[in-house]
Amino acid sequence: VQQEQVLRLVGMLLLVASFVKLLLLLQCHPRIAIITTSLKAIVDPLCNLLMIWMIFFVYLAAAASWTFGHTMNEFTGVVRSLTQLARMSVGAAPIWLSQA
């Protein structure tokens, strides 16, 4: 299992590296270079948005832990609340909905 996880990580790193190389090669063609120019223009605002989103997400996890932590095991700590909120953000149904 450990070897499979390492292999997956190496594969993901190779995919990211090949994507970066593709973006660098796209700069050579004048009409396609607008894509890379647009990506360079949005990096700063996107980083700011992600920082604000992360602060908000951690705040929500802390609030969920404080509000629901004493009754629900999924929210007993901030880390568990972050995990549960991340799962719910991508569409995973909470366990307590399937029990109703």
Side-chain angles (χ1 to χ4, degrees):
V1 177
Q2 178 84 10
Q3 185 179 5
E4 182 180 331
Q5 290 176 344
V6 170
L7 190 60
R8 282 178 178 254
L9 178 65
V10 169
M12 182 58 73
L13 290 174
L14 286 174
L15 281 173
V16 169
S18 64
F19 182 70
V20 169
K21 185 175 180 178
L22 176 68
L23 287 178
L24 292 174
L25 289 173
L26 286 177
Q27 290 179 349
C28 296
H29 194 279
R31 289 189 181 181
I32 300 178
I34 195 160
I35 296 171
T36 56
T37 306
S38 300
L39 288 174
K40 286 179 186 176
I42 67 167
V43 166
D44 187 45
L46 189 60
C47 286
N48 289 332
L49 174 71
L50 287 176
M51 284 191 319
I52 292 170
W53 180 82
M54 285 174 35
I55 291 169
F56 184 69
F57 205 70
V58 170
Y59 171 78
L60 284 177
S65 176
W66 186 71
T67 306
F68 305 117
H70 62 285
T71 58
M72 304 175 88
N73 288 335
E74 292 87 1
F75 299 101
T76 53
V78 176
V79 175
R80 290 188 75 169
S81 296
L82 278 171
T83 304
Q84 187 64 31
L85 287 173
R87 291 182 69 232
M88 292 168 65
S89 295
V90 295
I95 296 170
W96 62 87
L97 284 181
S98 62
Q99 297 171 349

